[in-house]
Amino acid sequence: MAAYVQDVIMLVGDSLTQGGFVPHGFAQQLAHVYNRKLDVFNRGLSGYNTTWGLPVFEQVFAKQHEQQHVPKVRLLTIWYGANDACIPPSPQHVPLPEFSANLRTMIRSVTSPSSPHYSAITKIILITPPPVNTHQRGADLASRDPPRPLDREFETTHQYAEAVKIVGAQEGVPVIDLWTILYDACGRVEEKLSEYLYDGLHVNQKGYQVVFDEIIKTVSKHYPELHYDKLQNVFIGCVDRITFMSRRLKCFVNADMPISISRIYGRAYRKESPCHPLYQLPNDHFPEPFSVLPFVVAK
């Protein structure tokens, strides 16, 4: 089991979130820019709506008495609506009032001090579902064996996106209005949404780039202390460690050529060495033994 060494960004939602770790997906990009600062936990579940997602949320988000033993969720994204907006009698359909209530329950389970899952440190971002390209979606469903009828409507999904914005305003949670952002980017022409959707429903690489960019913009505006540029690395950087060592230690090549550690390239030291990133080096002490491996001297 991995040790708790750094806190996390948690992503909850449906297939749009689950797919976030595809190459150049928004989750993959978050993991890259927050590397050594915050881990990214993807808890998106393909096909899920908010009603099905609620009991999952209660399982993946630690309760108060558990939080001291597990990574703390510093940032939480909630991205539902694409499946809730299915046309009845689809089993994925969730009535609009229930959808709003489910989102509110998820938010308050984190923000309410009386909730078992209360976490004062967690910041939340809501994301609206993207618009549906019914032309593209209809063609995709018709090509299946057997063919399937259209299961979503353009305006219905818009209503669910607007509901997310209302819940966010009422709960004081920032909202990424992905529906409007993508629709505006296409000149408000539904057919042109294929530029951002690969099947009329799920975003492609270009769409995920928009999601990532908007998350970073939202963090910068509402939670600037969580921007990756503002967070320190969990472990000291190799350059910092070598610079620190170079002021205190000299190595010798052929027993007669003193050189600074900062002039050594490559991995020169064993795990027990203070150069190893997991070794916590006191400011005034170098441990023994100090084993030097073969190294290359800078020219």
Side-chain angles (χ1 to χ4, degrees):
M1 182 175 181
Y4 166 31
V5 295
Q6 60 189 43
D7 293 331
V8 304
I9 299 170
M10 181 178 285
L11 317 173
V12 299
D14 49 38
S15 57
L16 291 163
T17 295
Q18 180 177 310
F21 270 121
V22 299
H24 307 289
F26 83 105
Q28 185 188 74
Q29 293 191 63
L30 286 171
H32 173 67
V33 298
Y34 280 96
N35 186 33
R36 295 177 64 175
K37 297 177 179 180
L38 294 173
D39 286 328
V40 176
F41 285 1
N42 189 333
R43 297 297 181 262
L45 300 174
S46 178
Y48 272 57
N49 54 34
T50 52
T51 298
W52 300 342
L54 268 176
V56 173
F57 184 82
E58 293 173 354
Q59 294 179 63
V60 301
F61 201 98
K63 294 182 178 180
Q64 290 191 55
H65 69 274
E66 301 169 328
Q67 291 174 10
Q68 61 180 318
H69 305 295
V70 297
K72 295 176 177 59
V73 179
R74 301 291 300 280
L75 181 66
L76 171 68
T77 66
I78 302 175
W79 189 8
Y80 283 103
N83 295 326
D84 300 76
C86 280
I87 303 170
S90 168
Q92 292 174 297
H93 171 74
V94 175
L96 195 57
E98 183 179 343
F99 169 70
S100 297
N102 289 341
L103 288 179
R104 197 170 286 112
T105 298
M106 290 184 189
I107 294 169
R108 292 181 180 178
S109 69
V110 175
T111 61
S112 173
S114 62
S115 167
H117 299 274
Y118 172 64
S119 173
I121 199 174
T122 303
K123 309 301 182 184
I124 304 174
I125 297 175
L126 290 175
I127 307 175
T128 74
V132 175
N133 183 344
T134 56
H135 307 278
Q136 196 179 11
R137 178 67 174 171
D140 175 67
L141 293 175
S143 68
R144 300 186 185 184
D145 186 17
R148 294 170 51 185
L150 186 64
D151 57 357
R152 290 165 174 82
E153 296 175 342
F154 181 82
E155 187 52 42
T156 299
T157 300
H158 186 204
Q159 293 173 8
Y160 280 71
E162 289 297 308
V164 175
K165 293 163 61 178
I166 292 172
V167 171
Q170 292 173 341
E171 299 298 321
V173 173
V175 177
I176 296 174
D177 185 4
L178 188 63
W179 196 98
T180 299
I181 292 169
L182 294 187
Y183 195 39
D184 286 347
C186 296
R188 304 188 75 80
V189 177
E190 182 182 342
E191 292 86 342
K192 292 184 178 180
L193 285 166
S194 58
E195 184 177 350
Y196 296 95
L197 307 171
Y198 69 80
D199 61 356
L201 176 64
H202 300 94
V203 295
N204 56 21
Q205 179 178 325
K206 191 171 182 179
Y208 274 133
Q209 184 64 53
V210 172
V211 176
F212 169 75
D213 291 341
E214 291 299 322
I215 289 175
I216 299 303
K217 288 179 185 177
T218 303
V219 168
S220 298
K221 180 178 180 180
H222 296 277
Y223 311 125
E225 72 279 8
L226 292 182
H227 192 280
Y228 54 86
D229 283 339
K230 301 290 183 65
L231 298 174
Q232 294 184 341
N233 287 341
V234 172
F235 295 108
I236 186 172
C238 183
V239 173
D240 294 334
R241 184 172 292 281
I242 291 177
T243 300
F244 175 81
M245 292 173 62
S246 68
R247 295 195 295 266
R248 292 166 169 78
L249 183 66
K250 296 289 183 177
C251 285
F252 294 84
V253 177
N254 297 328
D256 61 0
M257 186 174 68
I259 60 172
S260 170
I261 291 295
S262 61
R263 295 177 57 201
I264 298 176
Y265 292 146
R267 295 182 178 177
Y269 304 98
R270 301 185 191 277
K271 185 173 182 180
E272 64 266 29
S273 160
C275 190
H276 193 281
L278 295 181
Y279 195 99
Q280 299 302 309
L281 180 67
N283 289 335
D284 58 353
H285 178 69
F286 279 91
E288 297 293 341
F290 183 74
S291 301
V292 181
L293 294 176
F295 51 77
V296 179
V297 180
K299 300 298 183 181

